[in-house]
Amino acid sequence: MLSLLKCMDCGREYPINAVLYTCESCGGLLDVHHDLDALRGRVSRELFDGRLGTLDAPYSSGVWRYKELIYPDLDDAAIVSRNEGNTNLYPAPALAAWAGVRTLYLKHEGENPTGSFKDRGMTTGVTQARALGMTRVACASTGNTSASMAAYAAHAGMEGIVFFQDRQIALGKLSQAIAYGATCVQISADFDRNLALVREIAGALGIYVLNSVNPFRLEGQKAIIFETLQQLRWQAPDWIVCPGGNLGNSSAFGKALYELHQLGLIDRLPRLAIVQAEGANPLYRAYQGGFARFEPVHAETIATAIKIGNPVNYPKAVRALRWTDGVVTQVSDQAIMDAKALIDGQGIGCEPASACSLAGTRQLVEAGIIRPDATVVGILTGHILKDPDATIGYHRDALTGLRAAFPNRLHQAEPSVEAITAILQGSAARRPS
Ligand code: F0G
């Protein structure tokens, strides 16, 4: 076998089909650990490049194209896939200029089948659920995980079970989970408490947990990095910047970069920058103290996707930062929404949490940490349609405590040629030439 489960703290090993998320000896988080020495001769840039453009499953998926680095021993017949991944990497020169860097790309994970990066981890997580013979899968969610899990569970003929907070769920996400047929439970508790509840209840009822504490989720999310590097012709950027909530992506990105470097697929390691919302910043606080101490916080932010105060993957994110000489920063809700308006205004669009990548890049340039001549990849984690309330509230300048810097006001007109012409003459005059 090329892969097994291994505790990141004490190194205890378990078979790949153990239904476990943490170590039975020490409570540490588990990795899906691959035998990189054995894989070294089997993977190459040419292998993955040769699969580009294929119509054949599973390699047509932007996750399973890299199967040797994700789940090499797996029988292809077990795979539950919606051909996820294959998302665009947009050059964004106008936003690069705003952020103060020479080159900025935005990797749009909102272009996945259910509109967020979660589909990358769900294809691997639900595949493992099927391989284990599970019939019920569950998660706590700020929204996107639930939408993705509900879709993949339905696709695999399983019951999906979702624990939501009973307020501040973006409507696009809630409607997806309901429509895809998951059993949806709203609970008067925040994400952190709901995650604790789902882990306890699922354990007792034999339900498979598909939050990012599940190491198979992170294996799929590594493919965001594999695909980005492949799109860059395997030339590493200087920085990869992403939002941090439960820190699953941050952890997966660190492992992906470590493995690519160990296997010689990239020549140097990009640095990872994790961006948290000011009101949901436990990693940032720990980072400032040199990771001597970790304390959960009570989370509040308009970026509801990352309204998380006690991230389960904290130790793996710290490891990722150490591997990549990474940094952590925080941005205000104001900065998040203004950056979102700029990304949206380029015709690219994203949900609020995703805009941390741009807001954080600008702030790290201002702080002198990212150099102006750098090449930066920002990860956009979710689709613009996920949270229309936030978008419309911003452009109406109706968000509590915020002042929209880049509003695009909705005009109201009488049904007359004169009234509409007056508006259009005004808008032409206002556009930059
Ligand atoms: N961006 C979006 C759009 C998200 O939905 C999430 C997490 C994150 C960023 C943060 O990623 O947890 O890997 O650090 N959403 C989860 C959910 C928690 O339930 O949908 P992370």
Side-chain angles (χ1 to χ4, degrees), residues 87-139:
T87 60
N88 283 298
L89 182 71
Y90 294 104
L95 301 175
W98 181 78
V101 285
R102 182 148 68 202
T103 309
L104 175 69
Y105 295 97
L106 294 174
K107 175 71 171 159
H108 207 327
E109 288 299 300
E111 295 174 349
N112 273 290
T114 76
S116 82
F117 72 90
K118 305 286 180 179
D119 296 343
R120 301 240 190 200
M122 226 34 96
T123 184
T124 45
V126 173
T127 292
Q128 180 65 1
R130 176 139 96 183
L132 294 170
M134 296 286 174
T135 56
R136 306 174 90 191
V137 292
C139 67

Side-chain angles (χ1 to χ4, degrees), residues 170-184:
L171 270 190
K173 307 174 187 181
L174 179 62
S175 59
Q176 281 180 290
I178 294 171
Y180 295 138
T183 303
C184 299

Side-chain angles (χ1 to χ4, degrees), residues 107-112 114-119 144 173 221 224 241-244 249 253 305-306 349-357 378-384 386:
K107 175 71 171 159
H108 207 327
E109 288 299 300
E111 295 174 349
N112 273 290
T114 76
S116 82
F117 72 90
K118 305 286 180 179
D119 296 343
N144 281 324
K173 307 174 187 181
Q221 288 171 215
I224 300 170
V241 185
C242 69
N249 257 350
F253 292 4
I306 52 172
C350 64
E351 69 160 287
S354 308
C356 283
S357 298
I379 310 296
L380 301 182
T381 45
H383 197 281
I384 188 174
K386 289 283 191 172

Side-chain angles (χ1 to χ4, degrees), residues 116-118 140-146 173 191 211-212 217 221 243-250 305-306 308 313 351 353-354 381-383:
S116 82
F117 72 90
K118 305 286 180 179
S141 182
T142 59
N144 281 324
T145 303
S146 70
K173 307 174 187 181
F191 172 85
N211 280 101
S212 57
R217 279 271 316 273
Q221 288 171 215
N246 216 15
L247 303 177
N249 257 350
S250 311
I306 52 172
I308 294 172
N313 286 302
E351 69 160 287
S354 308
T381 45
H383 197 281

